[in-house]
C-alpha cells in the first residue's frame, strides 16, 4: 500500500498539498492525520464526499511500502510503516532532517507547499475542477496571508493566478480562512497581551508572549498575527505551555531576524520569517 499524509494539527496548506499530491500520485491513498485545525473540520464536513481523503482507521492492515509526505519532514507513526517503508518529502521548509535514511526530498523556499504541487499539476496538464482549484488556492492563501507575507514569492502569485483561471472560488476561500476567534482563542489572546514582554536586540524590537494553557487551543498561529498587527514588532515569539510541552510559534517581519535559526536548537524549523517548535518535557521559564 502507498499513502500520502502530512503533519498533525493539519492546516489548510497541508490538506491542499495532500490533495495536490493525490493528483500527481494516483496510486497513493491520501490519509488524514488524527488532529485537524478547526477550519479544516468545517470544510471537510461539507466537501468530504467529493474529495479523495480517507481516515486512518479505514486503511487495510497491510504493509505501507511508500509514503509521500507533504508540508513536513516528520510523520507520526502509522500502522503498516516499517523500516522498509520508503519516504518522499515535498515541502516548502528547507534544511530539515528527512524522516528516514534514504528518503528523497523536494524542498524549495516558496510561500506554501501547495505552490509546488500546483506547478507540477500545471506542467503535467492534469485536469482540475473548481473544488480542487479552490482547495489549493486556500492552501496558498493561508500560508502567504493572501500573498501578503514576506515569505511570498512570485511563484506563489503565479500559482494563485492559475488557480483563479481554473475557477477557484474566492467566496469559499474567504469563508474558511476568515473564521472569527473562538471564545477560548479570545481568552488566550487576552492572556498573551497581558504577559507580552518587549525587548530591543541590536536595534530590533522583539515581542515574547508566554501563556500557560489549561486545555489545548486550536490555531494559535492566528493569535501571533493578531499580536503582530497590534504591536508591529520586528519579531514575535509566542510560547504556549500545555501539560509538560511548550509550543513555540515565531514570526519575523525583517530579514534581520531569522526565526527558523532561533528555534532550530529547540528542535523546530520553518522559514526565516515563520517557524515553530514543540519543546517536550519543558516549561515556560526554561524555553523563554
Amino acid at each position: 500500500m502507498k499513502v500520502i499524509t502530512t503533519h498533525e494539527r493539519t492546516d489548510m496548506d497541508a490538506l491542499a498539498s495532500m490533495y495536490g499530491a493525490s493528483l500527481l500520485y494516483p496510486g497513493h491513498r491520501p490519509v488524514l492525520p488524527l488532529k485537524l485545525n478547526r477550519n479544516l473540520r468545517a470544510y471537510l464536513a461539507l466537501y468530504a464526499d467529493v474529495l479523495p481523503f480517507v481516515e486512518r482507521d479505514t486503511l487495510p492492515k497491510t504493509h505501507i511500502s511508500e509514503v509521500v509526505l507533504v508540508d513536513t519532514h516528520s510523520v507520526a507513526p502509522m500502522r503498516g510503516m516499517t523500516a522498509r517503508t520508503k519516504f518522499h518529502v515535498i515541502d516548502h521548509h528547507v534544511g530539515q532532517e528527512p524522516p528516514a535514511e534514504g528518503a528523497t526530498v523536494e524542498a524549495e523556499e516558496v510561500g506554501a507547499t501547495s505552490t509546488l504541487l500546483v506547478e507540477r499539476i500545471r506542467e503535467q496538464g492534469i485536469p482540475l475542477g473548481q473544488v480542487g482549484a479552490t482547495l489549493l488556492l486556500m492552501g496558498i492563501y493561508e500560508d502567504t496571508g493572501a500573498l501578503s507575507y514576506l515569505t511570498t514569492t512570485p511563484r506563489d502569485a503565479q500559482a494563485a493566478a492559475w488557480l483563479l483561471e481554473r475557477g477557484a472560488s474566492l467566496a469559499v476561500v474567504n469563508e474558511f480562512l476568515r473564521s472569527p476567534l473562538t471564545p477560548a482563542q479570545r481568552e488566550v489572546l487576552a492572556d498573551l497581551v497581558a504577559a507580552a514582554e518587549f525587548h530591543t536586540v541590536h536595534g530590533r524590537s522583539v515581542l515574547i508572549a508566554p501563556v500557560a494553557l489549561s486545555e489545548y487551543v486550536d490555531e494559535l498561529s492566528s493569535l501571533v498575527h493578531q499580536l503582530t498587527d497590534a504591536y508591529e514588532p520586528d519579531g514575535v515569539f509566542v510560547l504556549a505551555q500545555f501539560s509538560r510541552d511548550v509550543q513555540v510559534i515565531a514570526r519575523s517581519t525583517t530579514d534581520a531576524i531569522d526565526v527558523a535559526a532561533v528555534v532550530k536548537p529547540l528542535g523546530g524549523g520553518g522559514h526565516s520569517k515563520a517557524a515553530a517548535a514543540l519543546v517536550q518535557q519543558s516549561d515556560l521559564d526554561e524555553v523563554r
Side-chain angles (χ1 to χ4, degrees), residues 198-220:
F198 297 89
H199 304 268
T200 301
V201 183
H202 297 296
R204 301 289 178 174
S205 60
V206 177
L207 187 158
I208 300 176
V211 64
L213 305 177
S214 58
E215 60 182 23
Y216 187 84
V217 177
D218 273 338
E219 301 172 51
L220 289 177

Side-chain angles (χ1 to χ4, degrees), residues 174-233:
N174 289 330
E175 177 182 357
F176 288 100
L177 292 190
R178 294 185 177 178
S179 303
L181 295 181
T182 65
Q185 287 175 320
R186 290 196 295 270
E187 183 176 337
V188 172
L189 180 59
D191 291 340
L192 290 171
V193 170
E197 309 168 359
F198 297 89
H199 304 268
T200 301
V201 183
H202 297 296
R204 301 289 178 174
S205 60
V206 177
L207 187 158
I208 300 176
V211 64
L213 305 177
S214 58
E215 60 182 23
Y216 187 84
V217 177
D218 273 338
E219 301 172 51
L220 289 177
S221 60
S222 63
L223 305 185
V224 180
H225 297 305
Q226 298 269 353
L227 293 172
T228 302
D229 292 343
Y231 295 109
E232 299 184 341

Side-chain angles (χ1 to χ4, degrees), residues 157-170:
Q158 291 159 5
W162 185 77
L163 292 169
L164 288 168
E165 291 173 352
R166 305 276 81 73
S169 169
L170 287 173

